[in-house]
Amino acid sequence: MTEIDAKIDALVPAWLHLPDIAELFDVQVTRVRQLVKDGQLIAVRRGENRALQVPAAFIDGDKVVKGLSGTLTLLRDDGYSDEEMLEWLFTPDPSLPGTPAQALSENRGTEVKRRAQALAV
């Protein structure tokens, strides 16, 4: 594990493998891989077999958490790497309160996007 992996692992409480997400979404795993490729989800290699995994907080039942893809686009446009985006999304923000990932799952995406836009200023 690299140093950033350990830091992200400490921040992200739970992970899902791509086949598990495909089952939740009732789609082929190739569709989930396409969501990752399109930037609508972030997947990182973790564990002993270095399998691609997505933070469980990004999944809401049978869909991606509302507002996540827009937030990822904003952060990516600001030059954030996947690791930096994960760190930002899972680091507590006292002004929210909670983490940006929690706020997204609680349908407070507008607040999260506002903070993501402020990062570019």
Side-chain angles (χ1 to χ4, degrees), residues 6 8 29 73 116:
I8 290 169
V29 74
T73 299

Side-chain angles (χ1 to χ4, degrees), residues 26-45:
D26 195 25
V27 297
Q28 297 291 319
V29 74
T30 52
R31 176 67 186 124
V32 179
R33 288 185 187 282
Q34 190 63 45
L35 290 171
V36 173
K37 186 178 177 187
D38 292 344
Q40 295 181 45
L41 282 175
I42 295 175
V44 295
R45 294 200 177 276

Side-chain angles (χ1 to χ4, degrees), residues 91-104 106 108 111-112 115:
T91 299
D93 180 342
S95 70
L96 274 173
T99 67
Q102 284 173 315
L104 285 172
E106 294 166 0
R108 295 187 289 140
E111 296 174 51
V112 174
R115 282 160 181 78

